[in-house]
Amino acid sequence: MSDRERGWSEVPVIRTWQLATGAAVVGLALSAGAVTAAGPWDSGQRKAERQWAASQEPAGGGHHGRSAPGALVPAPAPSAPGVLSVLGVPAAPPAGGSPLGATLGPLLNVAALGTLHTASVVETATGKQLYGSGAGEAMTPASTVKIATAAAVLSALGPEHRIATTVMAAPGAGAEDAGIVLVGGGDPTLTAREPGKPGKSGKPGKPGTGASLPALADDTARALKARGITEVALRYDASLYSGPEYHPIGAGNENIARISALMADEGRLDDSDAGVAKRTGDPAGDAARKFAGMLRDRGIRTTGEPAPGKPAATAKPLARTLSAPLSALVERMLTNSDNDIAEALARQTALAAGEPASFEGAERAVAAQLGKLGLETRGTRFADGSGLNRDDKVSAALLTGILVRAADPARPQLRPVLTGLPVAGFTGTLSERYEDGSPAGGLVRAKTGTLHGVNTLAGTVVDADGRLLAFAFMASGTPGKEAAQSALDRLASAVTGAP
């Protein structure tokens, strides 16, 4: 078994969930005139974000307003230090029954936030709700539903889990009956880009940090030549997923590819890593054809065109490539609001629960995992994993409840839910918000959500008293995206105590 099969040399282990509670916001404190930031930062960005989220690229996911089966690796390290107390579930105070309520109430009840708006602000150390307005009312969350998707998959599989893409072959097959099958495990981050080789834009490919189709071709060609084989029939298997292959928003939408267990570079037809892009209509077939070309470049001819097919019952793995750990996939999904990763992680949750890897199976599995975390899911709907579906329904209280559990030192496996949140004015879908010297820049970490007439924001802040707070603001019937986003940003800024 090669190093790439073990997943050691090609994919370094990054245990982001080991970070202390609050991750990059830990150590942030707002005093009379100074803000000190500490944590795993590098020039204003979390190091993991710089590596995984490609923050220089346009934000991923839909409608955010910007241009343009795996193996476990070494056992998790000890949990983060216990800096938070045991969670409680106290009764919610009246909406205006606190100084915070007096501040947030007028900011919430503005025309820019439409006909229905709800809010929840919770102290993570105690679980105490500091402010609530319709907090239990289920609304369309848009992309903030990715917080639920992230918590569910991390709870089901753990942050170190990796997704495998495998080449299967009959054991001991000789040249006379050589045939291999490229089997997709559901990793949308599998890349066909050759490091250093110019892509369609003319830019050189980036060094691989996850599953690599060229590396898989290297190992496959090496293994075949060791058997004396230089010509094979190539088939491909994308049967791991079931149900509709297109999201309900329709085929050809540039926010998301055709959903497939086998794809390369999210089916993008350009060199982008995030954001909207034209996609292939045949992601599995395209990935297989690219793989066939790579094999030819490495001295292995393929007979005919790759065709769909499943490996024989006696087939064994010939080579495989592993995704980055789930912790990194979750961070990339949240930071860039990546819809393709979100739908893949929802299906990985379904597979872990023994459900079909479909929209329906994922919906049941995500709700079940959140229930295991002690969260109330009655009245909710997880129609998809990405939030592109308007049939999704979650409450502000559920979103803050997830964030509170992600901050719980007893649940270190959920920490990437916090570390993946975009940083105001710095990363992902918040990189172009909180600009112009906003005092909340760098203090707010939040997942954005935007559909036509729907705007949401949910995340964490450290307030002027040094408390880590979770918040969620949801609005529907909003008359305009920009005005709604500005109103949400003012709400989050107010929670920090910043002017």
Side-chain angles (χ1 to χ4, degrees), residues 246-344:
Y246 287 104
H247 191 280
I249 61 174
N253 192 295
E254 294 184 355
N255 285 293
I256 189 169
R258 178 180 178 180
I259 300 169
S260 174
L262 176 63
M263 64 168 61
D265 301 304
E266 300 183 339
R268 296 172 181 272
L269 296 178
D270 58 19
D271 291 341
S272 64
D273 295 308
V276 296
K278 291 183 178 180
R279 314 298 182 101
T280 175
D282 182 18
D286 278 4
R289 287 185 283 273
K290 290 176 181 178
F291 187 63
M294 293 172 189
L295 289 178
R296 286 193 292 272
D297 291 343
R298 290 157 175 79
I300 302 295
R301 297 185 302 276
T302 57
T303 59
E305 283 288 300
K310 293 186 178 182
T314 57
K316 301 293 182 183
L318 184 71
R320 66 175 178 175
T321 185
L322 300 175
S323 74
L326 278 185
S327 57
L329 299 188
V330 163
E331 286 187 349
R332 177 172 167 180
M333 172 190 71
L334 292 172
T335 301
N336 281 0
S337 197
D338 193 299
N339 298 313
D340 301 282
I341 296 178
E343 296 301 343

Side-chain angles (χ1 to χ4, degrees), residues 233-246:
L234 173 63
R235 291 176 294 160
Y236 60 92
D237 182 4
S239 64
L240 185 64
Y241 290 172
S242 59
E245 294 183 354
Y246 287 104

